[in-house]
Amino acid sequence: MSDDVARDDRDDRDGWWGPPVAGDEVASLIGSLERQRATFAWKVGGLDRAALSATLGPSAITLGGLVKHLAFVEVFHLCTRVNGRRPGDPWEGVDWDATPDWPWTSAADDEPEHLYGLWRDSVLRARESLADAVVDGGLDRPIAWSDDPDARPSVRRVLVDLVEEYARHVGHADLYREAVDGLVGEDPPAAPALYPLPERPA
């Protein structure tokens, strides 16, 4: 396994990848999401194709499937649902009716570099889209698209849902990574190489 932690010379005592100790709602929710992203990147990063395709017990989940699934979740929720932006490739070329589990099942065909790049790009796109939404109406603003025409979810609701989604899958990644090479722990010891560092607030 390759080294999946990149050293960073910034002082992280103020939680530059997590929620502030005493921040407002926006900073706290986004910081919580960033902590989940960083922990996920640590748990899944630096692996080869065999490790990303390994299963555990009777489950069909793989670390590669988690990476591709969360790449889609980032774009779908924070770009498409929040701001009505097209998801782009590869998502628009999928026959979702025929293959609703495509991110999970197709990941075994992808090289690690492709999966990791897809997730990083999705995080960067989602981060930018969320920042635009916060400027344009804040957390109370209704999202652009909902599959329920009678519901008007807010940006806040989508953000909370995404934190929950990550937390659940970070738990999966904990178990799978320990089974792969024994890596355990709650917080990354340094900035994971896979994780695109957010800009530190001024």
Side-chain angles (χ1 to χ4, degrees), residues 3-8 10 12 15-19 27 29-46 67 74 115-117 119-124 127 166 170 188-201:
D3 182 11
D4 58 350
V5 173
R7 297 298 168 187
D8 189 270
R10 292 183 292 182
D12 66 359
W16 55 266
W17 62 20
L29 284 173
I30 292 177
S32 182
L33 176 59
E34 292 295 349
R35 174 183 284 169
Q36 297 296 333
R37 285 170 170 160
T39 304
F40 180 75
W42 178 43
K43 295 294 181 174
V44 303
V67 173
E74 289 269 8
L115 289 172
Y116 292 149
W119 181 78
R120 283 179 59 90
D121 178 67
S122 294
V123 169
L124 292 171
R127 195 182 274 160
Y166 259 101
V170 166
L194 175 59
Y195 175 62
L197 290 168
E199 294 183 12
R200 183 193 289 273

Side-chain angles (χ1 to χ4, degrees), residues 15-188:
W16 55 266
W17 62 20
V21 174
D24 62 17
E25 184 185 20
V26 171
S28 296
L29 284 173
I30 292 177
S32 182
L33 176 59
E34 292 295 349
R35 174 183 284 169
Q36 297 296 333
R37 285 170 170 160
T39 304
F40 180 75
W42 178 43
K43 295 294 181 174
V44 303
L47 297 175
D48 60 22
R49 189 169 182 172
L52 288 171
S53 299
T55 57
L56 187 61
S59 176
I61 289 174
T62 64
L63 289 173
L66 284 171
V67 173
K68 200 165 189 177
H69 167 70
L70 284 174
F72 172 67
V73 165
E74 289 269 8
V75 169
F76 177 66
H77 287 286
L78 291 183
C79 297
T80 302
R81 293 188 68 211
V82 166
N83 284 323
R85 297 174 182 173
R86 296 178 66 98
D89 293 330
W91 319 115
E92 291 187 33
V94 177
D95 184 345
W96 292 102
D97 291 330
T99 55
D101 295 328
W102 183 80
W104 297 99
T105 58
S106 65
D109 299 325
D110 297 323
E111 293 297 330
E113 294 77 13
H114 174 75
L115 289 172
Y116 292 149
L118 189 64
W119 181 78
R120 283 179 59 90
D121 178 67
S122 294
V123 169
L124 292 171
R125 289 181 60 200
R127 195 182 274 160
E128 179 182 9
S129 184
L130 178 58
D132 291 345
V134 169
V135 170
D136 180 30
L139 299 182
D140 290 325
R141 198 205 79 187
I143 63 174
W145 180 85
S146 172
D147 55 2
D148 181 354
D150 296 323
R152 297 282 287 170
S154 65
V155 173
R156 178 187 293 103
R157 172 57 192 265
V158 173
L159 186 52
V160 168
D161 286 348
L162 192 55
V163 170
E164 179 185 353
E165 180 87 1
Y166 259 101
R168 180 169 60 252
H169 291 317
V170 166
H172 291 133
D174 276 334
L175 295 173
Y176 278 72
R177 186 59 186 256
E178 183 176 4
V180 166
D181 63 5
L183 177 70
V184 295
E186 182 177 346
D187 293 312

